[in-house]
Amino acid sequence: MITINNSIIHLRNTHISYILEVLDQKYILQRYIGKPLRHYHKSPMTYYKRGYNTEHDVSIENASFDDLPFLYPQLGHGDYRIPAIEVEAHHQRYCELLLKEVHVLDEKKTLSGLPSLKSHGRSETLEVVYEDKHIGLEVSQYITIYEDLGVLSFSASFRSCKEDLILYNTQSVSLELPSQDYQVMTMYGLHAKEGNIQLSALNTGIFQIESTRGSSSPQMHPFAALISGSDIYAMHFIYSGNYCCKIQKDSFGKVRMQMGLHPSMNNWHLHKGEEFYTPEVVVNYSSTGLEGMRMNFHELYRHHLLPQSQELPPVLLNTWEAMYYDVSLEKIEEQAKCASELGIELFVLDDGWFRKENNSRNSVMK
């Protein structure tokens, strides 16, 4: 599923291809994501010199960092688009992460203390290691491709090898997409009315959804999709805390899409010798529209996220539909007895246990 041929790295199965290129043994660029390709033939990339940009010592003529499709873009290097990494060292937000090495892992990386997908022997993982020797920062990005699913999962780890650092922005993924017209799909909601689909045109500038509530919340689900015809590029965050998703369309029409921890709510002090993991983001590509996207998510979470057990879950009875707010001990006892006689194994007392003069202040106390 993952092949490395000189400077080209190809992650491929029967549903998706994701192609990366190593530039000058220093940088990793994204070259393609979409329908599966049997082979990728590298051809010279033509760049036209842009005004109002900085120049850099790279082997591609006229290339500007504000134009290159970096795998993990950084702040402060002439790439004026949204960065995926912001690190403070010596009271300055600046780092210079250069490629150190690349590995293909048979086993998926375990994210310490975080929910994450399981491989079950049906995936391969690309580990891309970056290093900033000056401040002693080492970053590993993990990209996992799954057998027979049009999805990739992304996460990263940060290790301080030299001194204490502050992590302000640690996006789990930054995706570069071709210049074309897109619609953005998001899902907003409120209590008892979650998951409302919203479509809007992607215009030049920055589109953003977020939650700073301490949870991902029903107000704005940690999901976004870009739609162009039957092609869909979707992201979903496997995390229930503060998050942010940004999509930027620059003045030349190029698109950068990112998702991860909310940068304004993140101020992680990474001490020497410690390691920090970002939560996992799923990138879902479908060439068959919403149905393909839905099936990718369904099969992925069913087989790689939910606990795998041979035992059937317990049959339960929930009190809500039978009682709503009219809850009494007599009704509970009667329902519990009937449930037991029917072989129901689990009894759930749902909302409505507070009654009449009770309110949210005193009922919680009782």
Side-chain angles (χ1 to χ4, degrees):
M1 289 185 282
I2 301 177
T3 58
I4 301 177
N5 185 10
N6 296 322
S7 63
I8 300 299
I9 304 169
H10 191 169
L11 292 79
R12 176 186 180 275
N13 61 25
T14 57
H15 296 277
I16 188 173
S17 276
Y18 184 49
I19 297 173
L20 308 173
E21 179 185 356
V22 178
L23 175 63
D24 299 340
Q25 299 181 342
K26 294 181 181 180
Y27 312 105
I28 295 277
L29 308 179
Q30 302 178 63
R31 288 305 188 194
Y32 176 85
I33 181 169
K35 295 178 181 179
L37 305 177
R38 290 186 179 181
H39 305 285
Y40 177 79
H41 300 285
K42 179 183 175 182
S43 58
M45 304 296 293
T46 301
Y47 287 83
Y48 296 94
K49 192 170 184 178
R50 292 184 176 185
Y52 307 103
N53 282 304
T54 55
E55 295 185 359
H56 302 271
D57 184 20
V58 293
S59 59
I60 301 176
E61 187 177 0
N62 296 326
S64 165
F65 277 17
D66 199 37
D67 190 23
L68 291 179
F70 290 108
L71 177 62
Y72 219 22
Q74 306 166 48
L75 179 70
H77 290 267
D79 183 351
Y80 302 107
R81 296 164 293 176
I82 50 176
I85 305 172
E86 295 178 52
V87 178
E88 181 179 303
H90 311 141
H91 306 289
Q92 293 183 337
R93 289 198 190 187
Y94 179 86
C95 65
E96 188 175 12
L97 291 167
L98 300 176
L99 179 64
K100 181 181 179 181
E101 54 194 0
V102 175
H103 307 285
V104 177
L105 310 177
D106 293 330
E107 293 294 327
K108 185 177 179 293
K109 181 70 174 181
T110 299
L111 305 183
S112 178
L114 291 170
S116 61
L117 300 167
K118 307 297 186 294
S119 66
H120 303 304
R122 295 156 57 189
S123 69
E124 287 185 353
T125 297
L126 179 73
E127 180 184 12
V128 180
V129 184
Y130 309 88
E131 182 181 36
D132 184 330
K133 294 182 179 180
H134 180 63
I135 63 174
L137 174 64
E138 192 169 275
V139 177
S140 289
Q141 190 173 28
Y142 301 101
I143 308 170
T144 300
I145 183 169
Y146 299 84
E147 195 176 79
D148 296 330
L149 287 173
V151 299
L152 305 164
S153 61
F154 290 75
S155 62
S157 66
F158 293 72
R159 295 175 292 278
S160 178
C161 306
K162 188 175 181 181
E163 58 187 275
D164 293 352
L165 305 169
I166 303 177
L167 307 179
Y168 286 101
N169 186 10
T170 55
Q171 298 302 293
S172 295
V173 62
S174 183
L175 193 65
E176 304 282 334
L177 295 171
S179 303
Q180 53 195 38
D181 292 331
Y182 294 98
Q183 276 193 313
V184 187
M185 173 187 284
T186 55
M187 298 173 68
Y188 72 95
L190 62 161
H191 174 65
K193 193 181 178 183
E194 301 90 351
N196 301 285
I197 294 176
Q198 178 173 263
L199 291 172
S200 55
L202 181 66
N203 297 313
T204 302
I206 297 176
F207 175 94
Q208 179 172 327
I209 61 171
E210 64 181 9
S211 175
T212 58
R213 295 170 174 265
S215 63
S216 52
S217 80
Q219 282 74 19
M220 190 59 70
H221 193 71
F223 159 86
L226 289 176
I227 303 173
S228 179
S230 62
D231 288 327
I232 296 182
Y233 307 88
M235 288 186 180
H236 189 228
F237 203 27
I238 306 181
Y239 186 69
S240 59
N242 296 325
Y243 81 93
C244 180
C245 175
K246 292 183 179 181
I247 308 171
Q248 183 176 23
K249 185 177 183 180
D250 70 11
S251 54
F252 288 85
K254 291 192 173 181
V255 174
R256 175 175 287 175
M257 184 179 187
Q258 296 178 349
M259 183 174 280
L261 295 170
H262 201 296
S264 68
M265 308 296 290
N266 194 23
N267 185 1
W268 188 272
H269 289 250
L270 186 66
H271 300 292
K272 179 181 177 181
E274 292 183 346
E275 191 167 15
F276 174 83
Y277 288 91
T278 69
E280 200 164 33
V281 169
V282 172
V283 172
N284 182 342
Y285 169 73
S286 167
S287 62
T288 57
L290 295 175
E291 179 65 13
M293 179 191 75
R294 183 187 67 82
M295 288 302 299
N296 278 337
F297 277 132
H298 179 82
E299 291 299 310
L300 179 72
Y301 293 153
R302 180 184 177 191
H303 296 293
H304 295 278
L305 185 61
L306 296 176
Q308 301 295 304
S309 175
Q310 299 300 320
E311 297 182 5
L312 293 174
V315 178
L316 69 86
L317 173 65
N318 188 296
T319 63
W320 175 249
E321 287 77 10
M323 301 186 199
Y324 293 106
Y325 291 103
D326 188 19
V327 178
S328 67
L329 180 59
E330 294 76 14
K331 287 186 176 182
I332 292 174
E333 290 178 340
E334 182 181 358
Q335 280 203 6
K337 181 180 178 181
C338 293
S340 176
E341 292 173 354
L342 293 172
I344 295 174
E345 304 161 281
L346 183 63
F347 187 85
V348 177
L349 177 59
D350 204 335
D351 206 356
W353 48 267
F354 49 86
R355 301 183 61 216
K356 295 182 180 179
E357 292 81 12
N358 291 348
N359 57 47
S360 59
R361 291 182 179 274
N362 61 26
S363 291
V364 173
M365 302 296 289
K366 293 180 181 180

Tab-separated table of all heavy atoms in Angstrom, residues 302 307-316 343 345-346:
chain	number	residue	atom	x	y	z
A	302	ARG	N	-16.777	1.325	12.026
A	302	ARG	CA	-17.303	0.034	12.464
A	302	ARG	C	-16.189	-0.969	12.714
A	302	ARG	O	-16.224	-1.715	13.702
A	302	ARG	CB	-18.264	-0.504	11.407
A	302	ARG	CG	-18.878	-1.848	11.762
A	302	ARG	CD	-19.741	-2.380	10.633
A	302	ARG	NE	-20.266	-3.696	10.933
A	302	ARG	CZ	-20.882	-4.473	10.042
A	302	ARG	NH1	-21.065	-4.046	8.803
A	302	ARG	NH2	-21.331	-5.663	10.377
A	307	PRO	N	-15.090	-0.927	19.585
A	307	PRO	CA	-14.503	-2.144	20.164
A	307	PRO	C	-14.984	-3.386	19.424
A	307	PRO	O	-16.174	-3.520	19.124
A	307	PRO	CB	-15.010	-2.124	21.613
A	307	PRO	CG	-15.366	-0.694	21.876
A	307	PRO	CD	-15.841	-0.141	20.573
A	308	GLN	N	-14.062	-4.274	19.146
A	308	GLN	CA	-14.388	-5.517	18.459
A	308	GLN	C	-14.639	-6.603	19.502
A	308	GLN	O	-13.742	-6.974	20.254
A	308	GLN	CB	-13.250	-5.919	17.523
A	308	GLN	CG	-12.924	-4.878	16.463
A	308	GLN	CD	-14.070	-4.670	15.489
A	308	GLN	OE1	-14.546	-5.602	14.848
A	308	GLN	NE2	-14.519	-3.421	15.385
A	309	SER	N	-15.855	-7.103	19.564
A	309	SER	CA	-16.207	-8.125	20.543
A	309	SER	C	-17.108	-9.161	19.904
A	309	SER	O	-17.957	-8.836	19.077
A	309	SER	CB	-16.917	-7.484	21.743
A	309	SER	OG	-17.372	-8.475	22.638
A	310	GLN	N	-16.910	-10.399	20.291
A	310	GLN	CA	-17.756	-11.481	19.808
A	310	GLN	C	-19.072	-11.556	20.577
A	310	GLN	O	-20.024	-12.191	20.142
A	310	GLN	CB	-17.009	-12.819	19.928
A	310	GLN	CG	-15.722	-12.889	19.121
A	310	GLN	CD	-15.960	-12.698	17.632
A	310	GLN	OE1	-16.937	-13.208	17.079
A	310	GLN	NE2	-15.085	-11.957	16.987
A	311	GLU	N	-19.113	-10.903	21.743
A	311	GLU	CA	-20.310	-10.938	22.563
A	311	GLU	C	-21.293	-9.866	22.102
A	311	GLU	O	-20.917	-8.751	21.756
A	311	GLU	CB	-19.951	-10.714	24.027
A	311	GLU	CG	-19.059	-11.802	24.619
A	311	GLU	CD	-18.777	-11.548	26.087
A	311	GLU	OE1	-19.353	-10.581	26.631
A	311	GLU	OE2	-17.986	-12.306	26.665
A	312	LEU	N	-22.573	-10.208	22.132
A	312	LEU	CA	-23.600	-9.234	21.794
A	312	LEU	C	-23.755	-8.232	22.933
A	312	LEU	O	-23.656	-8.599	24.114
A	312	LEU	CB	-24.934	-9.944	21.551
A	312	LEU	CG	-25.006	-10.843	20.315
A	312	LEU	CD1	-26.336	-11.581	20.287
A	312	LEU	CD2	-24.830	-10.027	19.052
A	313	PRO	N	-23.971	-6.956	22.636
A	313	PRO	CA	-24.177	-5.972	23.707
A	313	PRO	C	-25.464	-6.270	24.453
A	313	PRO	O	-26.391	-6.887	23.914
A	313	PRO	CB	-24.266	-4.646	22.936
A	313	PRO	CG	-24.694	-5.022	21.558
A	313	PRO	CD	-24.070	-6.359	21.300
A	314	PRO	N	-25.555	-5.842	25.710
A	314	PRO	CA	-26.761	-6.140	26.494
A	314	PRO	C	-27.991	-5.436	25.921
A	314	PRO	O	-27.906	-4.314	25.414
A	314	PRO	CB	-26.417	-5.601	27.889
A	314	PRO	CG	-25.353	-4.575	27.648
A	314	PRO	CD	-24.554	-5.085	26.485
A	315	VAL	N	-29.127	-6.110	25.998
A	315	VAL	CA	-30.402	-5.506	25.615
A	315	VAL	C	-30.830	-4.565	26.735
A	315	VAL	O	-30.795	-4.931	27.913
A	315	VAL	CB	-31.474	-6.584	25.382
A	315	VAL	CG1	-32.813	-5.931	25.025
A	315	VAL	CG2	-31.037	-7.545	24.293
A	316	LEU	N	-31.200	-3.323	26.376
A	316	LEU	CA	-31.522	-2.367	27.424
A	316	LEU	C	-32.899	-1.763	27.217
A	316	LEU	O	-33.429	-1.733	26.104
A	316	LEU	CB	-30.470	-1.260	27.507
A	316	LEU	CG	-30.352	-0.239	26.367
A	316	LEU	CD1	-31.311	0.932	26.556
A	316	LEU	CD2	-28.923	0.267	26.269
A	343	GLY	N	-36.335	-10.617	29.881
A	343	GLY	CA	-34.937	-10.939	29.623
A	343	GLY	C	-34.076	-9.734	29.289
A	343	GLY	O	-32.928	-9.882	28.841
A	345	GLU	N	-31.528	-6.880	29.969
A	345	GLU	CA	-30.402	-6.994	30.895
A	345	GLU	C	-29.956	-5.673	31.507
A	345	GLU	O	-29.248	-5.664	32.523
A	345	GLU	CB	-29.213	-7.604	30.146
A	345	GLU	CG	-29.529	-8.947	29.510
A	345	GLU	CD	-28.533	-9.321	28.421
A	345	GLU	OE1	-28.663	-8.798	27.293
A	345	GLU	OE2	-27.626	-10.107	28.715
A	346	LEU	N	-30.365	-4.560	30.908
A	346	LEU	CA	-29.869	-3.266	31.370
A	346	LEU	C	-31.027	-2.282	31.425
A	346	LEU	O	-31.804	-2.164	30.472
A	346	LEU	CB	-28.773	-2.749	30.425
A	346	LEU	CG	-28.079	-1.442	30.794
A	346	LEU	CD1	-27.332	-1.593	32.124
A	346	LEU	CD2	-27.100	-1.042	29.691
